[in-house]
Amino acid sequence: MRLLFKFLITIFIISLYSCSDSIKSKDFTVNDINIIPKPAELTLNKGSFSINENTKIIAHDSLKNIANILTDKLKSSSNIELDFSENLENNFIEFVVKEGLENEAYELSVTNKKVTVTANSLGGFLYGVQSILQLLPAEIYGTDTKGDLILPAVEIKDKPRFRYRGLMLDLSRHFFPKEYILKTIDRLAMHKMNVLHLHLVDDQGWRMEIKKYPKLTEIAAWRVDQEDKHWNARDKNDPNVKGTYGGFLTQKELKEIVAYASEKNIEVIPEIEMPAHVTSVMAAYPHLSCFGKPVAVPSGGVWPITDIYCAGKETTFEFLEDVLTEVMEVFPSKYIHIGGDEATKTNWEKCPDCQRRMKKEGLKDVHELQSYFVKRMEKFINSKGKRLIGWDEILEGGLAPEATVMSWRGVKGGEEAAEQGHDVIMTPGSYCYFDHYQGPQNDEPIAQGGYLPLSKVYQFDPIVEGMSEKEAKHILGGQANLWAEYIPTTSHSEYMIFPRLAALSEALWSSKKLRNWNDFSKRIKTQFNRYDELGINYAKSAYLVTSDMDIDLENKSIKMTLQNEFPKSDIRYVLDEDKLNEKATSYNNPIEISKTTLVKASLFENDKPIGKIFMDTIKFHKGVAKVVNYVIPCNDRYTGSGPSTLVNTLRGTKNFHDGQWQAWLNDNMEVVIDLDQPTEIHKVTVGALENQGPGIYYPIKIEVFVSDDGKKFNSVGNLERPYAKNAGSELKDFIVKFDKQQTKYIKVIATNLKRTPAGSGVFLFIDEILVE
């Protein structure tokens, strides 16, 4: 009996070791490796390393803070506390300094016995830790990891392609607090980004405490609250009315931000705008403008920007040097960004002080005066051991000797600066402006305009084709810019940044030959899981199904194509009342539609719809493909798809450049639809768009008339809708019902508001007139 007991114990112990070994020797596949950005070199070996309560950390005292980033994450997510130790044979994670490795480069080795992170810089070690975390289950980013913490056996050698990898946060248009900025720093580090550019000054608010000039935070940091109106439809403020919306960061808070960022290998670059985008400054210190005219901090869009610093007064430069002195005491960054963009110089042309300056300095025009302004500020900045960055407008009139150009109006400015031997940071709007829409406008919160989906960000390359090797060396990297005119909350800010930051991080980190959209599309789905664990309000726009349609007016039929951003997507659809479930039809070919039909579609994963459901009703009404006569022609800029636009069944989106809208500027819409023969009707629907920022307003009245001969018309119904404030972009169908009528002709008049409350002209946008 005793021998049997010993035998059973032995078998039990062997089985325990066997189970333990099976965990540690778990094999992974390439599909399990989902690191973003993609490492330069990665070899997947057999086996794995299991992190447990017995795992130890080996690190020199100087590296313990970095090691604690990993240990803190393990403790908060898995309640595993790893202690420091030394001279172990297995089950440890070590941090090793290796001379000769490039800045920010790292090597990561995972075997069955140990994990080794090798680097020669803070950034390198940090990025090695980030890769370890991304090799673990996504739950590691949360607070309740239930599974085993197992790392695949890999050998990674990694380094960034570009040394400047940044994100700009606009704190002026809408103010964000310190806590959100600190969170953003963590997320930048997660994506191996190394620059946070803070846009601290603009027309709509000053966001940094300057002790020598207290009015900057007493007056310039606050504006009248008009958040209920569209950004570009807000009223001009009275300088005597105290602002209540805004805020600022104290120097103490900014120093905390800078210190925290430094621990994450992130340089914080301050931007203090000049000579333009400073109406807020003029509200506090009007003597710094050319004519000293009292102004208020604007609550919304300003164009043209004429209230700018006077380039002729010495007091202007004294003020700016005082401000920058305090800025440089807070920000140890080697760069100071001075903006330099969008200055309307009409006041300089009339200002006696500016004209006197131009004559004294031998400047031929106001562009050279701006160049003088920038060069003078650069000289001061250089004297403090710093370097100047400006938007590409600083090229106008001649570039300051050591300035770095941030190219935003495409890449031309960057190319020109690189040719001249200047360093360049590429940030073209077409790839890097995260305030642009990232999905169909109908399904997205209001944004600045433009269209920048995840897949397009991934295509970004700061090196322009045709650049010489010498010019390419001046391209430091790239940066995403998140202008905040339409971003009032931190949640909305997250939505605009993520997941596009992941695509940009790979575009700036990984070598061009490694980048592959199909591969990234697979890995980004794991990144979404990490975002979920972190509680990030990321956009799921890449999942959204979108459609394109070709119409055959002669045969009254439509072919609808469906797609989304992910390759080989499992898109399924149903028609009319059918349920969108696992039995839905797989989309392989265009859907042919020849009668009124409701189409519902979605991306599917594991036989379940994910993301927002696509829904569109194609309505074949009695006016389809009929002749439309325009009593008042539409505007030449917005003619839709031609004379049949209003009766082609195709509806416009919130993107008023989508080719489905016709518009009338300051005129009413007045059209007559010829139904060919007497037809019974009882309802007319007019589809309209409102987006008050660019001057698009709903009609204030719609009236429907009928006629048998096309000459004498009788009114059968109307509706009136008075003007109302609208901060968003919106689509609306205006329905006019009436008793059943037999008619051959229908006249529809939509009355234009004609003048905005601010006195500007008004566009009336119409996409379809449905006759029932």
Side-chain angles (χ1 to χ4, degrees):
M1 191 70 179
R2 185 178 296 174
L3 288 173
L4 177 62
F5 179 75
K6 286 184 176 180
F7 175 76
L8 291 173
I9 290 293
T10 301
I11 294 297
F12 177 69
I13 291 171
I14 290 172
S15 68
L16 278 180
Y17 274 105
S18 176
C19 289
S20 175
D21 288 344
S22 69
I23 292 174
K24 291 182 179 180
S25 62
K26 175 183 175 182
D27 288 333
F28 289 78
T29 69
V30 173
N31 288 332
D32 297 314
I33 310 297
N34 294 300
I35 296 174
I36 292 176
K38 192 174 184 70
E41 297 179 34
L42 186 150
T43 303
L44 176 63
N45 301 315
K46 287 188 176 182
S48 57
F49 179 87
S50 179
I51 300 174
N52 54 50
E53 60 276 3
N54 295 318
T55 304
K56 303 296 183 184
I57 300 289
I58 299 177
H60 186 272
D61 288 346
S62 63
L63 299 177
K64 285 186 176 179
N65 285 341
I66 295 169
N68 283 334
I69 294 173
L70 177 62
T71 59
D72 290 348
K73 182 66 76 175
L74 292 169
K75 183 179 179 181
S76 64
S77 65
S78 306
N79 203 28
I80 293 177
E81 293 195 51
L82 302 188
D83 295 326
F84 287 88
S85 185
E86 54 187 36
N87 300 326
L88 298 174
E89 291 186 5
N90 55 41
N91 198 15
F92 63 90
I93 301 170
E94 64 176 342
F95 292 80
V96 177
V97 175
K98 181 179 179 180
E99 298 294 336
L101 277 184
E102 295 178 37
N103 184 44
E104 298 189 305
Y106 70 93
E107 295 175 357
L108 175 61
S109 172
V110 180
T111 69
N112 292 342
K113 292 185 176 183
K114 65 178 181 176
V115 177
T116 305
V117 182
T118 305
N120 191 32
S121 64
L122 169 67
F125 284 112
L126 285 167
Y127 300 147
V129 168
Q130 295 299 336
S131 290
I132 289 174
L133 293 172
Q134 291 198 28
L135 289 170
L136 291 168
E139 290 77 15
I140 196 71
Y141 290 93
T143 56
D144 188 17
T145 306
K146 291 184 170 60
D148 295 316
L149 300 180
I150 304 175
L151 293 166
V154 293
E155 296 292 331
I156 293 175
K157 292 183 178 181
D158 201 8
K159 64 179 182 179
R161 181 184 175 202
F162 293 101
R163 67 178 185 266
Y164 186 109
R165 307 177 303 281
L167 169 70
M168 185 278 289
L169 284 183
D170 173 8
L171 304 185
S172 176
R173 274 53 176 265
H174 283 96
F175 176 66
F176 299 127
K178 179 187 77 172
E179 292 72 24
Y180 176 66
I181 297 171
L182 295 179
K183 278 186 181 180
T184 302
I185 288 168
D186 285 335
R187 294 159 184 177
L188 286 171
M190 172 187 177
H191 291 83
K192 301 185 173 81
M193 304 287 278
N194 64 359
V195 174
L196 175 62
H197 167 183
L198 294 180
H199 187 74
L200 295 166
V201 178
D202 217 298
D203 296 297
Q204 296 81 9
W206 181 284
R207 303 300 178 213
M208 177 180 175
E209 175 191 28
I210 301 295
K211 294 177 180 178
K212 190 168 184 178
Y213 297 99
K215 287 183 181 179
L216 291 174
T217 45
E218 292 170 6
I219 297 174
W222 306 94
R223 63 181 187 240
V224 174
D225 190 340
Q226 296 191 48
E227 293 299 300
D228 61 332
K229 299 177 184 176
H230 189 287
W231 179 261
N232 287 324
R234 297 180 180 181
D235 299 327
K236 189 173 182 178
N237 293 326
D238 184 335
N240 297 312
V241 176
K242 185 176 177 61
T244 58
Y245 183 94
F248 63 92
L249 295 164
T250 66
Q251 291 192 12
K252 181 173 182 270
E253 287 175 316
L254 287 165
K255 286 178 180 177
E256 289 173 13
I257 289 169
V258 167
Y260 189 79
S262 178
E263 294 173 358
K264 304 298 172 73
N265 192 50
I266 290 170
E267 180 179 8
V268 183
I269 297 176
E271 181 181 357
I272 306 297
E273 278 274 12
M274 60 185 82
H277 284 288
V278 291
T279 310
S280 56
V281 179
M282 301 310 150
Y285 296 101
H287 70 278
L288 296 173
S289 67
C290 286
F291 302 110
K293 178 184 173 183
V295 295
V297 179
S299 295
V302 177
W303 194 260
I305 303 169
T306 56
D307 290 309
I308 68 178
Y309 288 120
C310 177
K313 296 175 182 175
E314 280 302 304
T315 50
T316 296
F317 296 98
E318 290 170 7
F319 169 84
L320 288 171
E321 289 179 8
D322 289 341
V323 166
L324 290 182
T325 296
E326 290 195 34
V327 168
M328 288 184 274
E329 288 170 356
V330 171
F331 293 93
S333 164
K334 67 179 178 181
Y335 290 112
I336 300 294
H337 201 306
I338 65 153
D341 62 314
E342 298 182 328
T344 301
K345 309 174 187 71
T346 50
N347 283 351
W348 284 5
E349 292 171 350
K350 298 177 288 185
C351 172
D353 292 308
C354 290
Q355 292 301 309
R356 194 179 304 116
R357 175 83 69 191
M358 289 171 63
K359 185 176 181 180
K360 180 182 176 182
E361 300 294 336
L363 308 173
K364 67 180 181 181
D365 56 29
V366 290
H367 298 298
E368 289 194 359
L369 180 57
Q370 175 158 336
S371 179
Y372 164 84
F373 191 113
V374 172
K375 288 175 180 176
R376 180 164 173 176
M377 294 314 304
E378 185 195 39
K379 188 175 180 181
F380 174 75
I381 290 168
N382 291 162
S383 74
K384 303 294 184 179
K386 308 285 187 177
R387 297 193 66 178
L388 177 148
I389 297 180
W391 302 111
D392 54 54
E393 283 94 334
I394 66 172
L395 287 161
E396 295 172 4
L399 188 55
E402 297 179 36
T404 297
V405 171
M406 196 167 270
S407 188
W408 72 278
R409 296 178 299 177
V411 297
K412 186 177 179 182
E415 289 182 281
E416 183 181 336
E419 285 175 11
Q420 296 177 18
H422 291 272
D423 286 344
V424 174
I425 298 153
M426 286 293 194
T427 178
S430 53
Y431 291 97
C432 298
Y433 269 44
F434 283 11
D435 52 328
H436 290 182
Y437 287 97
Q438 56 194 310
Q441 288 191 21
N442 288 12
D443 299 307
E444 293 288 310
I446 189 169
Q448 179 71 279
Y451 181 51
L452 181 57
L454 181 69
S455 55
K456 187 169 183 181
V457 177
Y458 192 74
Q459 296 168 17
F460 175 52
D461 190 344
I463 304 292
V464 180
E465 189 174 348
M467 274 187 171
S468 68
E469 186 177 340
K470 183 178 179 182
E471 289 164 357
K473 286 182 179 179
H474 283 291
I475 307 301
L476 304 183
Q479 174 175 289
N481 294 326
L482 185 60
W483 302 104
E485 288 93 335
Y486 300 98
I487 303 174
T489 66
T490 56
S491 176
H492 191 171
S493 179
E494 289 179 350
Y495 183 90
M496 302 304 281
I497 295 171
F498 303 101
R500 289 186 286 190
L501 188 75
L504 185 76
S505 74
E506 186 148 309
L508 296 175
W509 178 280
S510 306
S511 67
K512 201 171 181 180
K513 66 180 181 181
L514 287 175
R515 285 163 50 196
N516 179 284
W517 172 246
N518 290 1
D519 176 52
F520 179 81
S521 298
K522 173 188 73 71
R523 287 179 286 118
I524 193 63
K525 293 171 185 176
T526 300
Q527 193 81 336
F528 289 165
N529 295 335
R530 295 170 186 140
Y531 292 162
D532 286 331
E533 294 293 335
L534 287 165
I536 295 174
N537 181 41
Y538 65 95
K540 301 176 180 66
S541 310
Y543 284 127
L544 291 174
V545 174
T546 60
S547 68
D548 287 315
M549 286 181 272
D550 289 323
I551 184 167
D552 183 342
L553 287 172
E554 185 175 341
N555 296 313
K556 294 186 181 180
S557 66
I558 283 175
K559 286 186 177 180
M560 175 187 282
T561 57
L562 301 175
Q563 61 273 317
N564 75 353
E565 286 201 73
F566 294 124
K568 299 179 181 178
S569 293
D570 181 9
I571 296 175
R572 305 183 196 181
Y573 71 94
V574 295
L575 304 179
D576 298 321
E577 300 305 315
D578 289 350
K579 292 184 178 179
L580 191 62
N581 53 30
E582 70 278 1
K583 296 179 181 178
T585 304
S586 292
Y587 175 80
N588 296 306
N589 297 298
I591 306 165
E592 295 194 23
I593 301 169
S594 57
K595 63 178 182 178
T596 296
T597 304
L598 169 64
V599 180
K600 292 178 283 187
S602 178
L603 176 66
F604 273 68
E605 278 191 3
N606 302 318
D607 279 338
K608 292 181 180 179
I610 60 172
K612 187 174 180 179
I613 304 300
F614 167 88
M615 296 179 68
D616 193 9
T617 299
I618 309 302
K619 205 155 193 173
F620 283 82
H621 53 89
K622 294 180 179 180
V624 173
K626 303 302 182 184
V627 174
V628 180
N629 296 304
Y630 292 79
V631 179
I632 300 177
C634 61
N635 187 273
D636 290 342
R637 291 165 58 192
Y638 301 100
T639 59
S641 57
S644 63
T645 298
L646 300 180
V647 289
N648 66 2
T649 79
L650 305 183
R651 305 305 303 271
T653 67
K654 291 179 182 178
N655 174 12
F656 54 87
H657 297 293
D658 67 8
Q660 297 302 331
W661 293 100
Q662 292 188 331
W664 286 259
L665 177 60
N666 303 329
D667 286 325
N668 298 335
M669 179 204 76
E670 185 172 349
V671 299
V672 176
I673 302 172
D674 184 346
L675 297 176
D676 291 335
Q677 58 187 6
T679 305
E680 185 176 87
I681 65 170
H682 69 280
K683 182 169 72 171
V684 170
T685 302
V686 177
L689 166 70
E690 184 162 76
N691 188 344
Q692 294 183 359
I696 303 170
Y697 287 73
Y698 283 143
I700 56 174
K701 182 180 179 180
I702 293 176
E703 190 164 11
V704 177
F705 304 80
V706 296
S707 172
D708 294 327
D709 58 7
K711 296 178 181 178
K712 183 180 179 181
F713 286 88
N714 297 315
S715 175
V716 293
N718 69 79
L719 64 81
E720 295 189 18
R721 180 196 179 276
Y723 156 76
K725 290 184 296 187
N726 187 352
S729 178
E730 185 178 88
L731 302 169
K732 187 176 181 68
D733 282 346
F734 293 92
I735 301 172
V736 180
K737 295 181 179 180
F738 42 86
D739 294 337
K740 289 181 180 179
Q741 306 280 330
Q742 283 279 341
T743 187
K744 187 171 182 293
Y745 298 94
I746 303 168
K747 179 187 283 187
V748 182
I749 299 176
T751 304
N752 193 315
L753 180 63
K754 292 186 173 61
R755 304 301 291 177
T756 71
S760 303
V762 168
F763 272 111
L764 174 65
F765 270 72
I766 307 296
D767 67 338
E768 187 82 2
I769 299 175
L770 298 90
V771 181
E772 298 174 75

